[in-house]
Amino acid sequence: MRDWSLTAKDPLVLALAADVRFCAPDYADDQSWELRLGEGDPVALSLITSFGRRARSMRLFPFFSLDGRRASDPARFASAPRVRRFLPNYACVDFRPFEGIAVTLEAWVPESHALAGRMTISNLTSAPVTIRCGIHMQLKPHENGRPASPTNVRGVTVLTGRAGNLNPVLFLAGGAVLEGTPIPALAVNVTLAPGASRLIPWVHAGRPSVDESFDLARAVAGRPWDAELAHLEVADASTLEFETGRREWDAVLAFSQHAALRSFLGPSRYLRHPSFVAARQPDLGYSERGDGRDHPGEWSGQDPARSAYVTGLVAPVAPELALGVIHNYLNVQAPDGLIDWQPGLAGQRQGWMCIPWLAGWVHAWCVRTQDWSLARESLPRLLAFYRAWFSPAHDRDQDGHPEWDHAAQALSDDSPTFGRWQPWSQGLDIRAAETIDLACALYRETEALLAIAAAVGREDLRRELEEHARQLRRAVEHSWSEATGCYHTVDRDTHRSPGGGRLAALRGPQRYAVDRSYDPAARLVVICRGQEADARGLHVVVRGRVEGRSATERLTSADFRWFFEHGVATCDRAFSHVGSITTNGISSEMEVEVSAADFSRGEVTQLLPLWAGIPDARRAHELVYRTVLDPGRYWRTFGL
């Protein structure tokens, strides 16, 4: 492994968690740690956790005593701590607490419930020395917990406490005794001849009972450290190593790979291959239910956006993990072809279709490995998933351009057109629109399927797939606007991109005469402002004309989606004429705003035809030089 020599002033991501390549991390009780080079009260070189918020904090930190002097604050060490090596589950730091005394501290998380460590103490002086060293256990529990205190288990002095349902134990080898300090500690005396070294192992284990924790600590203490570390180093040899000329950038690039590897847990009975979470940190990892279904959203499944970049990071380092993510999606496919957007290790399902990227991932994998067995075995599932997108459930007007089911499914929660949580977003129901991003994703998926079919000898699929490609290309090109020099979202029914505008502003129960015609027809968006509890009897009635016929549409409270004091709903039909709008069942203070949906807004997703390869050279040139490079459009803060 590379020798880094990183200090507290360098970029550091010293999270430590069990590595899925060497064990099966516990999805419901995953205890992660973080190494900090100098902070806390008292300031110390610390390993910290909260057991997934089962404690306010838990710290382990070393101390050293020599000739009446005591050292635990790195700021007072003769030589400050430097990180020499790091892995997803391992870190090595060296320092000198006193002149002539060198210490190497190693920490390793072998599995989800244990943290192992060892200190190598070396005498660099020309005279024998006796040094006292040990580990403090500082547990700050919640109300029903218990701080660390000494106890004797089967003749061995250990420290233990209580945090939630855990009774963690700290074990220090070498005949440790209790140190008489306000913060409990275990200590040993070490006498070293000139040039000599001594290894002092310790283990922390967190299980429901003291006996279970002690047994685990003893078992981990008996594992062959050097052999285990050799396995870790062999695995690390596949990590990409960057030399940029700037140590801090080299470290960031290395930490990024380790963070991706550390994000994997499992497998489980619901996902046959390891899956990832957004981050493994000291405050995450504990499921009070015991099965993981109550984990927060970032721990509730592998969503496609994170899947795309996590698999890209780990594929060169641990290709089996990247491949497992693909298999997890394919293995949860329903009989109707649906593949869930976010399958989780505890059986979580989002209920939406996954973004159509899967065939592209499979094709890229096969090209990279030059092994087409994955394509051959997954093609039936990929086809069923692809065809499900064109079913009436997802292509509601059966025109060959499907629609999303939810803004979050399209990664459009903050879209100015479809987002529902921002004051500058109109909150249009994405099911009422045919969007450029979905058409482009399906077009790319079609090309990937065509390439897979050709590689595995399925020429019978060519006609079907090429027809879908023509329909998608035609739909995208139909949305081009010469006026704006860009592609636009279109209304699902009118296939036009009209501008919008406010139609009516009402307060409380009211009938409002509108008498306004629209060409093309307008899709109405209704926004309520007030307390959701005051809108339980809400009825909004729109009367007018749809496709030349008299029409009435009724929206009830069940049609609105609320966020704090903001509720929004979209009419299911586009009106060519709006005669009147009536509101009932609300308080006199509630405000109701009705607008014609604006399909002309610019969004970065409208540039995706370039990614899909849809426009010809002339139009691509216009899109780039007239639109992409216009500083007033996509080069603003948080822009392209």
Side-chain angles (χ1 to χ4, degrees), residues 571-630:
C571 287
D572 190 53
R573 293 176 289 180
F575 285 80
S576 57
H577 179 266
V578 179
S580 67
I581 300 169
T582 304
T583 57
N584 284 303
I586 55 176
S587 73
S588 59
E589 298 302 313
M590 180 161 287
E591 298 177 358
V592 178
E593 181 180 303
V594 183
S595 301
D598 184 358
F599 287 86
S600 66
R601 295 185 174 196
E603 299 198 24
V604 72
T605 55
Q606 293 161 2
L607 307 179
L608 285 172
L610 290 170
W611 163 73
I614 288 177
D616 60 24
R618 180 191 64 80
R619 184 159 287 177
H621 185 277
E622 185 174 1
L623 184 58
V624 169
Y625 286 93
R626 182 179 166 192
T627 302
V628 174
L629 298 182
D630 179 352

Short mmCIF file of all heavy atoms in Angstrom, two decimals, residues 571-630:
data_model
loop_
_atom_site.label_atom_id
_atom_site.label_comp_id
_atom_site.label_asym_id
_atom_site.label_seq_id
_atom_site.Cartn_x
_atom_site.Cartn_y
_atom_site.Cartn_z
N CYS A 571 -54.84 18.96 -13.62
CA CYS A 571 -56.02 18.43 -14.30
C CYS A 571 -55.61 17.31 -15.26
O CYS A 571 -54.54 17.37 -15.88
CB CYS A 571 -56.74 19.53 -15.07
SG CYS A 571 -57.63 20.67 -13.99
N ASP A 572 -56.47 16.32 -15.39
CA ASP A 572 -56.15 15.16 -16.21
C ASP A 572 -56.32 15.44 -17.70
O ASP A 572 -55.78 14.72 -18.52
CB ASP A 572 -57.04 13.98 -15.81
CG ASP A 572 -56.59 12.69 -16.46
OD1 ASP A 572 -55.40 12.34 -16.32
OD2 ASP A 572 -57.42 12.03 -17.13
N ARG A 573 -57.07 16.49 -18.05
CA ARG A 573 -57.31 16.80 -19.45
C ARG A 573 -56.90 18.23 -19.76
O ARG A 573 -56.85 19.09 -18.88
CB ARG A 573 -58.79 16.60 -19.79
CG ARG A 573 -59.23 15.14 -19.73
CD ARG A 573 -60.72 14.98 -19.96
NE ARG A 573 -61.51 15.49 -18.84
CZ ARG A 573 -62.83 15.47 -18.80
NH1 ARG A 573 -63.52 15.00 -19.83
NH2 ARG A 573 -63.48 15.93 -17.75
N ALA A 574 -56.62 18.48 -21.04
CA ALA A 574 -56.24 19.82 -21.51
C ALA A 574 -57.47 20.52 -22.06
O ALA A 574 -58.18 19.98 -22.92
CB ALA A 574 -55.15 19.71 -22.58
N PHE A 575 -57.73 21.73 -21.59
CA PHE A 575 -58.93 22.48 -21.94
C PHE A 575 -58.66 23.46 -23.08
O PHE A 575 -57.72 24.26 -23.00
CB PHE A 575 -59.45 23.26 -20.73
CG PHE A 575 -60.14 22.41 -19.69
CD1 PHE A 575 -59.41 21.67 -18.77
CD2 PHE A 575 -61.52 22.34 -19.66
CE1 PHE A 575 -60.05 20.89 -17.82
CE2 PHE A 575 -62.17 21.55 -18.71
CZ PHE A 575 -61.43 20.83 -17.79
N SER A 576 -59.51 23.39 -24.11
CA SER A 576 -59.44 24.40 -25.17
C SER A 576 -60.19 25.66 -24.77
O SER A 576 -59.96 26.74 -25.31
CB SER A 576 -60.01 23.84 -26.47
OG SER A 576 -61.36 23.41 -26.28
N HIS A 577 -61.10 25.53 -23.82
CA HIS A 577 -61.83 26.69 -23.30
C HIS A 577 -62.15 26.42 -21.83
O HIS A 577 -62.56 25.32 -21.46
CB HIS A 577 -63.13 26.93 -24.08
CG HIS A 577 -63.92 28.08 -23.55
ND1 HIS A 577 -64.93 27.94 -22.63
CD2 HIS A 577 -63.83 29.42 -23.82
CE1 HIS A 577 -65.44 29.13 -22.34
NE2 HIS A 577 -64.79 30.04 -23.06
N VAL A 578 -61.89 27.43 -21.01
CA VAL A 578 -62.22 27.34 -19.60
C VAL A 578 -63.34 28.34 -19.33
O VAL A 578 -63.16 29.55 -19.53
CB VAL A 578 -61.00 27.64 -18.71
CG1 VAL A 578 -61.39 27.55 -17.23
CG2 VAL A 578 -59.87 26.67 -19.01
N GLY A 579 -64.48 27.81 -18.87
CA GLY A 579 -65.62 28.68 -18.61
C GLY A 579 -65.63 29.21 -17.19
O GLY A 579 -65.77 30.41 -16.96
N SER A 580 -65.48 28.30 -16.21
CA SER A 580 -65.54 28.73 -14.82
C SER A 580 -64.74 27.78 -13.94
O SER A 580 -64.48 26.63 -14.30
CB SER A 580 -66.99 28.79 -14.33
OG SER A 580 -67.54 27.48 -14.29
N ILE A 581 -64.39 28.30 -12.76
CA ILE A 581 -63.68 27.51 -11.75
C ILE A 581 -64.40 27.74 -10.43
O ILE A 581 -64.66 28.89 -10.03
CB ILE A 581 -62.22 27.94 -11.63
CG1 ILE A 581 -61.49 27.74 -12.97
CG2 ILE A 581 -61.51 27.16 -10.52
CD1 ILE A 581 -60.11 28.38 -13.00
N THR A 582 -64.71 26.62 -9.74
CA THR A 582 -65.42 26.71 -8.48
C THR A 582 -64.63 25.99 -7.41
O THR A 582 -64.11 24.88 -7.63
CB THR A 582 -66.82 26.07 -8.58
OG1 THR A 582 -67.54 26.71 -9.64
CG2 THR A 582 -67.59 26.23 -7.28
N THR A 583 -64.51 26.61 -6.23
CA THR A 583 -63.84 25.96 -5.10
C THR A 583 -64.84 25.81 -3.96
O THR A 583 -65.64 26.71 -3.69
CB THR A 583 -62.64 26.80 -4.61
OG1 THR A 583 -63.08 28.11 -4.26
CG2 THR A 583 -61.58 26.91 -5.69
N ASN A 584 -64.78 24.67 -3.28
CA ASN A 584 -65.66 24.38 -2.16
C ASN A 584 -64.89 23.60 -1.10
O ASN A 584 -63.84 23.00 -1.39
CB ASN A 584 -66.88 23.56 -2.59
CG ASN A 584 -67.90 24.40 -3.32
OD1 ASN A 584 -68.39 25.40 -2.80
ND2 ASN A 584 -68.22 24.01 -4.55
N GLY A 585 -65.43 23.56 0.11
CA GLY A 585 -64.90 22.70 1.16
C GLY A 585 -63.62 23.17 1.79
O GLY A 585 -62.88 22.36 2.36
N ILE A 586 -63.32 24.48 1.70
CA ILE A 586 -62.09 25.00 2.28
C ILE A 586 -62.43 26.22 3.14
O ILE A 586 -63.51 26.79 3.04
CB ILE A 586 -61.06 25.39 1.20
CG1 ILE A 586 -61.68 26.38 0.20
CG2 ILE A 586 -60.52 24.16 0.50
CD1 ILE A 586 -60.69 26.89 -0.83
N SER A 587 -61.48 26.60 3.99
CA SER A 587 -61.69 27.76 4.84
C SER A 587 -61.63 29.04 4.01
O SER A 587 -61.08 29.06 2.90
CB SER A 587 -60.62 27.81 5.94
OG SER A 587 -59.37 28.18 5.39
N SER A 588 -62.15 30.09 4.56
CA SER A 588 -62.17 31.37 3.85
C SER A 588 -60.78 31.98 3.69
O SER A 588 -60.59 32.90 2.90
CB SER A 588 -63.08 32.36 4.59
OG SER A 588 -62.59 32.57 5.92
N GLU A 589 -59.80 31.44 4.44
CA GLU A 589 -58.44 31.99 4.37
C GLU A 589 -57.56 31.28 3.35
O GLU A 589 -56.48 31.77 3.02
CB GLU A 589 -57.77 31.89 5.75
CG GLU A 589 -58.48 32.70 6.83
CD GLU A 589 -58.56 34.16 6.47
OE1 GLU A 589 -57.52 34.71 6.05
OE2 GLU A 589 -59.64 34.75 6.60
N MET A 590 -58.01 30.14 2.86
CA MET A 590 -57.16 29.38 1.94
C MET A 590 -57.13 30.02 0.57
O MET A 590 -58.16 30.36 0.00
CB MET A 590 -57.62 27.92 1.84
CG MET A 590 -56.76 27.09 0.90
SD MET A 590 -56.93 25.33 1.17
CE MET A 590 -56.03 25.14 2.70
N GLU A 591 -55.91 30.15 0.02
CA GLU A 591 -55.73 30.72 -1.31
C GLU A 591 -55.62 29.60 -2.34
O GLU A 591 -54.94 28.59 -2.11
CB GLU A 591 -54.47 31.57 -1.35
CG GLU A 591 -54.51 32.77 -0.41
CD GLU A 591 -53.20 33.54 -0.43
OE1 GLU A 591 -52.26 33.12 -1.15
OE2 GLU A 591 -53.12 34.57 0.27
N VAL A 592 -56.27 29.78 -3.48
CA VAL A 592 -56.23 28.81 -4.57
C VAL A 592 -55.81 29.56 -5.83
O VAL A 592 -56.44 30.55 -6.21
CB VAL A 592 -57.59 28.13 -4.78
CG1 VAL A 592 -57.50 27.16 -5.97
CG2 VAL A 592 -58.02 27.39 -3.52
N GLU A 593 -54.75 29.08 -6.45
CA GLU A 593 -54.26 29.68 -7.69
C GLU A 593 -54.35 28.65 -8.81
O GLU A 593 -53.90 27.51 -8.65
CB GLU A 593 -52.82 30.15 -7.52
CG GLU A 593 -52.24 30.82 -8.75
CD GLU A 593 -50.80 31.26 -8.53
OE1 GLU A 593 -50.57 32.05 -7.57
OE2 GLU A 593 -49.93 30.81 -9.30
N VAL A 594 -54.94 29.04 -9.93
CA VAL A 594 -55.08 28.17 -11.09
C VAL A 594 -54.29 28.77 -12.25
O VAL A 594 -54.47 29.96 -12.57
CB VAL A 594 -56.56 27.98 -11.49
CG1 VAL A 594 -56.67 27.00 -12.66
CG2 VAL A 594 -57.38 27.49 -10.30
N SER A 595 -53.43 27.95 -12.86
CA SER A 595 -52.59 28.43 -13.96
C SER A 595 -52.61 27.44 -15.10
O SER A 595 -52.85 26.24 -14.91
CB SER A 595 -51.13 28.62 -13.49
OG SER A 595 -51.04 29.54 -12.45
N ALA A 596 -52.38 27.96 -16.29
CA ALA A 596 -52.12 27.09 -17.44
C ALA A 596 -50.67 26.64 -17.37
O ALA A 596 -49.76 27.46 -17.17
CB ALA A 596 -52.39 27.83 -18.74
N ALA A 597 -50.44 25.35 -17.48
CA ALA A 597 -49.09 24.82 -17.36
C ALA A 597 -48.18 25.39 -18.44
O ALA A 597 -48.56 25.51 -19.60
CB ALA A 597 -49.11 23.30 -17.44
N ASP A 598 -46.96 25.71 -18.01
CA ASP A 598 -45.96 26.27 -18.91
C ASP A 598 -45.02 25.15 -19.36
O ASP A 598 -44.21 24.65 -18.57
CB ASP A 598 -45.19 27.38 -18.20
CG ASP A 598 -44.20 28.08 -19.10
OD1 ASP A 598 -44.07 27.68 -20.28
OD2 ASP A 598 -43.56 29.04 -18.63
N PHE A 599 -45.13 24.76 -20.62
CA PHE A 599 -44.25 23.71 -21.17
C PHE A 599 -43.05 24.30 -21.90
O PHE A 599 -42.27 23.56 -22.50
CB PHE A 599 -45.05 22.83 -22.14
CG PHE A 599 -46.02 21.90 -21.48
CD1 PHE A 599 -47.30 22.32 -21.17
CD2 PHE A 599 -45.65 20.61 -21.16
CE1 PHE A 599 -48.21 21.48 -20.56
CE2 PHE A 599 -46.55 19.75 -20.54
CZ PHE A 599 -47.83 20.18 -20.24
N SER A 600 -42.91 25.62 -21.86
CA SER A 600 -41.83 26.26 -22.62
C SER A 600 -40.60 26.53 -21.78
O SER A 600 -39.61 27.06 -22.28
CB SER A 600 -42.34 27.58 -23.21
OG SER A 600 -42.62 28.52 -22.18
N ARG A 601 -40.62 26.17 -20.50
CA ARG A 601 -39.49 26.45 -19.62
C ARG A 601 -38.25 25.67 -20.07
O ARG A 601 -38.34 24.54 -20.54
CB ARG A 601 -39.83 26.07 -18.18
CG ARG A 601 -40.93 26.93 -17.57
CD ARG A 601 -41.14 26.61 -16.11
NE ARG A 601 -42.10 27.53 -15.50
CZ ARG A 601 -42.24 27.69 -14.20
NH1 ARG A 601 -41.50 27.00 -13.36
NH2 ARG A 601 -43.12 28.55 -13.72
N GLY A 602 -37.10 26.30 -19.90
CA GLY A 602 -35.85 25.63 -20.24
C GLY A 602 -35.32 24.82 -19.08
O GLY A 602 -35.36 25.26 -17.93
N GLU A 603 -34.85 23.61 -19.35
CA GLU A 603 -34.24 22.74 -18.34
C GLU A 603 -33.05 22.02 -18.96
O GLU A 603 -33.03 21.73 -20.15
CB GLU A 603 -35.26 21.71 -17.84
CG GLU A 603 -36.48 22.33 -17.18
CD GLU A 603 -37.23 21.33 -16.32
OE1 GLU A 603 -36.60 20.35 -15.86
OE2 GLU A 603 -38.43 21.53 -16.11
N VAL A 604 -32.09 21.72 -18.13
CA VAL A 604 -30.86 21.11 -18.63
C VAL A 604 -31.12 19.75 -19.27
O VAL A 604 -30.39 19.32 -20.17
CB VAL A 604 -29.81 21.02 -17.48
CG1 VAL A 604 -30.20 19.95 -16.48
CG2 VAL A 604 -28.42 20.79 -18.03
N THR A 605 -32.19 19.06 -18.85
CA THR A 605 -32.49 17.76 -19.45
C THR A 605 -32.84 17.87 -20.93
O THR A 605 -32.79 16.88 -21.66
CB THR A 605 -33.65 17.09 -18.70
OG1 THR A 605 -34.77 17.97 -18.68
CG2 THR A 605 -33.27 16.74 -17.28
N GLN A 606 -33.21 19.08 -21.37
CA GLN A 606 -33.57 19.26 -22.77
C GLN A 606 -32.35 19.25 -23.69
O GLN A 606 -32.48 19.28 -24.92
CB GLN A 606 -34.35 20.56 -22.92
CG GLN A 606 -35.71 20.49 -22.22
CD GLN A 606 -36.31 21.86 -21.95
OE1 GLN A 606 -35.73 22.88 -22.31
NE2 GLN A 606 -37.47 21.88 -21.31
N LEU A 607 -31.15 19.18 -23.11
CA LEU A 607 -29.93 19.06 -23.90
C LEU A 607 -29.54 17.60 -24.13
O LEU A 607 -28.58 17.31 -24.85
CB LEU A 607 -28.78 19.78 -23.20
CG LEU A 607 -29.04 21.24 -22.80
CD1 LEU A 607 -27.82 21.82 -22.09
CD2 LEU A 607 -29.40 22.08 -24.01
N LEU A 608 -30.29 16.66 -23.54
CA LEU A 608 -29.92 15.25 -23.61
C LEU A 608 -29.97 14.64 -25.01
O LEU A 608 -29.33 13.60 -25.23
CB LEU A 608 -30.78 14.43 -22.65
CG LEU A 608 -30.41 14.58 -21.18
CD1 LEU A 608 -31.43 13.89 -20.28
CD2 LEU A 608 -29.02 14.03 -20.91
N PRO A 609 -30.69 15.19 -25.98
CA PRO A 609 -30.56 14.63 -27.33
C PRO A 609 -29.12 14.59 -27.84
O PRO A 609 -28.77 13.72 -28.64
CB PRO A 609 -31.44 15.57 -28.17
CG PRO A 609 -32.53 15.99 -27.21
CD PRO A 609 -31.80 16.17 -25.90
N LEU A 610 -28.27 15.50 -27.35
CA LEU A 610 -26.85 15.43 -27.73
C LEU A 610 -26.22 14.15 -27.20
O LEU A 610 -25.44 13.48 -27.89
CB LEU A 610 -26.10 16.65 -27.18
CG LEU A 610 -26.43 18.00 -27.82
CD1 LEU A 610 -25.78 19.11 -27.00
CD2 LEU A 610 -25.96 18.04 -29.26
N TRP A 611 -26.54 13.81 -25.93
CA TRP A 611 -26.04 12.55 -25.32
C TRP A 611 -26.58 11.34 -26.05
O TRP A 611 -25.87 10.35 -26.26
CB TRP A 611 -26.46 12.55 -23.84
CG TRP A 611 -26.40 11.23 -23.14
CD1 TRP A 611 -25.29 10.56 -22.74
CD2 TRP A 611 -27.52 10.43 -22.73
NE1 TRP A 611 -25.64 9.39 -22.10
CE2 TRP A 611 -27.00 9.29 -22.08
CE3 TRP A 611 -28.90 10.58 -22.83
CZ2 TRP A 611 -27.82 8.30 -21.55
CZ3 TRP A 611 -29.71 9.60 -22.30
CH2 TRP A 611 -29.18 8.48 -21.67
N ALA A 612 -27.85 11.41 -26.46
CA ALA A 612 -28.47 10.27 -27.13
C ALA A 612 -28.05 10.15 -28.59
O ALA A 612 -28.28 9.11 -29.21
CB ALA A 612 -29.99 10.39 -27.04
N GLY A 613 -27.46 11.19 -29.15
CA GLY A 613 -27.06 11.14 -30.56
C GLY A 613 -28.22 11.27 -31.52
O GLY A 613 -28.18 10.73 -32.63
N ILE A 614 -29.25 12.02 -31.14
CA ILE A 614 -30.45 12.11 -31.97
C ILE A 614 -30.36 13.19 -33.04
O ILE A 614 -30.69 12.93 -34.20
CB ILE A 614 -31.70 12.32 -31.07
CG1 ILE A 614 -32.00 11.02 -30.32
CG2 ILE A 614 -32.91 12.77 -31.88
CD1 ILE A 614 -33.16 11.13 -29.35
N PRO A 615 -29.95 14.43 -32.74
CA PRO A 615 -29.98 15.46 -33.79
C PRO A 615 -28.93 15.24 -34.87
O PRO A 615 -27.88 14.65 -34.61
CB PRO A 615 -29.71 16.75 -33.00
CG PRO A 615 -28.97 16.32 -31.78
CD PRO A 615 -29.49 14.96 -31.45
N ASP A 616 -29.24 15.74 -36.08
CA ASP A 616 -28.24 15.70 -37.14
C ASP A 616 -27.19 16.77 -36.87
O ASP A 616 -27.30 17.56 -35.92
CB ASP A 616 -28.89 15.87 -38.52
CG ASP A 616 -29.64 17.20 -38.66
OD1 ASP A 616 -29.31 18.17 -37.94
OD2 ASP A 616 -30.55 17.27 -39.51
N ALA A 617 -26.17 16.82 -37.70
CA ALA A 617 -25.03 17.71 -37.44
C ALA A 617 -25.45 19.17 -37.39
O ALA A 617 -24.98 19.94 -36.54
CB ALA A 617 -23.95 17.50 -38.50
N ARG A 618 -26.35 19.58 -38.29
CA ARG A 618 -26.76 20.99 -38.32
C ARG A 618 -27.48 21.38 -37.04
O ARG A 618 -27.19 22.40 -36.42
CB ARG A 618 -27.65 21.24 -39.53
CG ARG A 618 -28.14 22.70 -39.65
CD ARG A 618 -29.23 22.84 -40.69
NE ARG A 618 -30.43 22.09 -40.31
CZ ARG A 618 -31.33 22.55 -39.44
NH1 ARG A 618 -31.16 23.70 -38.83
NH2 ARG A 618 -32.40 21.82 -39.17
N ARG A 619 -28.42 20.53 -36.60
CA ARG A 619 -29.18 20.86 -35.40
C ARG A 619 -28.32 20.76 -34.14
O ARG A 619 -28.47 21.54 -33.20
CB ARG A 619 -30.42 19.98 -35.30
CG ARG A 619 -31.32 20.33 -34.13
CD ARG A 619 -32.72 19.82 -34.34
NE ARG A 619 -33.44 20.60 -35.33
CZ ARG A 619 -34.68 20.33 -35.75
NH1 ARG A 619 -35.33 19.28 -35.26
NH2 ARG A 619 -35.26 21.08 -36.65
N ALA A 620 -27.44 19.78 -34.12
CA ALA A 620 -26.53 19.65 -32.97
C ALA A 620 -25.66 20.90 -32.86
O ALA A 620 -25.44 21.42 -31.76
CB ALA A 620 -25.67 18.40 -33.12
N HIS A 621 -25.18 21.40 -34.01
CA HIS A 621 -24.36 22.62 -34.02
C HIS A 621 -25.16 23.79 -33.47
O HIS A 621 -24.67 24.58 -32.65
CB HIS A 621 -23.90 22.90 -35.44
CG HIS A 621 -22.96 24.07 -35.55
ND1 HIS A 621 -23.40 25.38 -35.61
CD2 HIS A 621 -21.60 24.13 -35.58
CE1 HIS A 621 -22.36 26.18 -35.70
NE2 HIS A 621 -21.26 25.45 -35.68
N GLU A 622 -26.43 23.91 -33.88
CA GLU A 622 -27.27 25.00 -33.41
C GLU A 622 -27.54 24.88 -31.91
O GLU A 622 -27.50 25.87 -31.18
CB GLU A 622 -28.59 25.02 -34.18
CG GLU A 622 -29.47 26.21 -33.82
CD GLU A 622 -30.71 26.30 -34.70
OE1 GLU A 622 -30.90 25.43 -35.57
OE2 GLU A 622 -31.48 27.25 -34.50
N LEU A 623 -27.80 23.65 -31.44
CA LEU A 623 -28.08 23.44 -30.03
C LEU A 623 -26.88 23.82 -29.17
O LEU A 623 -27.01 24.43 -28.11
CB LEU A 623 -28.47 21.98 -29.79
CG LEU A 623 -28.89 21.59 -28.37
CD1 LEU A 623 -30.08 22.42 -27.90
CD2 LEU A 623 -29.22 20.10 -28.30
N VAL A 624 -25.69 23.48 -29.65
CA VAL A 624 -24.47 23.79 -28.88
C VAL A 624 -24.18 25.29 -28.90
O VAL A 624 -24.03 25.93 -27.86
CB VAL A 624 -23.27 22.99 -29.43
CG1 VAL A 624 -21.97 23.50 -28.81
CG2 VAL A 624 -23.45 21.51 -29.15
N TYR A 625 -24.09 25.88 -30.12
CA TYR A 625 -23.58 27.24 -30.22
C TYR A 625 -24.64 28.30 -29.93
O TYR A 625 -24.30 29.41 -29.51
CB TYR A 625 -22.97 27.46 -31.60
CG TYR A 625 -21.65 26.75 -31.73
CD1 TYR A 625 -21.57 25.47 -32.25
CD2 TYR A 625 -20.48 27.35 -31.26
CE1 TYR A 625 -20.36 24.80 -32.32
CE2 TYR A 625 -19.27 26.69 -31.33
CZ TYR A 625 -19.22 25.42 -31.87
OH TYR A 625 -18.02 24.77 -31.93
N ARG A 626 -25.91 27.96 -30.11
CA ARG A 626 -26.95 28.94 -29.83
C ARG A 626 -27.49 28.83 -28.41
O ARG A 626 -27.90 29.83 -27.81
CB ARG A 626 -28.08 28.76 -30.84
CG ARG A 626 -29.22 29.76 -30.67
CD ARG A 626 -30.29 29.53 -31.71
NE ARG A 626 -31.51 30.25 -31.38
CZ ARG A 626 -32.68 30.06 -31.97
NH1 ARG A 626 -32.79 29.17 -32.95
NH2 ARG A 626 -33.75 30.75 -31.61
N THR A 627 -27.49 27.62 -27.87
CA THR A 627 -28.16 27.38 -26.59
C THR A 627 -27.18 27.02 -25.48
O THR A 627 -27.11 27.70 -24.46
CB THR A 627 -29.20 26.26 -26.75
OG1 THR A 627 -30.14 26.66 -27.76
CG2 THR A 627 -29.95 26.02 -25.44
N VAL A 628 -26.41 25.95 -25.66
CA VAL A 628 -25.53 25.49 -24.59
C VAL A 628 -24.52 26.58 -24.21
O VAL A 628 -24.27 26.82 -23.03
CB VAL A 628 -24.81 24.20 -25.00
CG1 VAL A 628 -23.79 23.80 -23.95
CG2 VAL A 628 -25.81 23.07 -25.23
N LEU A 629 -23.97 27.25 -25.20
CA LEU A 629 -22.92 28.23 -24.93
C LEU A 629 -23.44 29.64 -24.69
O LEU A 629 -22.65 30.57 -24.56
CB LEU A 629 -21.91 28.23 -26.09
CG LEU A 629 -21.17 26.90 -26.31
CD1 LEU A 629 -20.16 27.03 -27.43
CD2 LEU A 629 -20.49 26.45 -25.02
N ASP A 630 -24.74 29.79 -24.60
CA ASP A 630 -25.32 31.09 -24.29
C ASP A 630 -25.16 31.33 -22.79
O ASP A 630 -25.78 30.64 -21.98
CB ASP A 630 -26.81 31.10 -24.67
CG ASP A 630 -27.48 32.43 -24.35
OD1 ASP A 630 -26.84 33.29 -23.71
OD2 ASP A 630 -28.64 32.61 -24.75
#
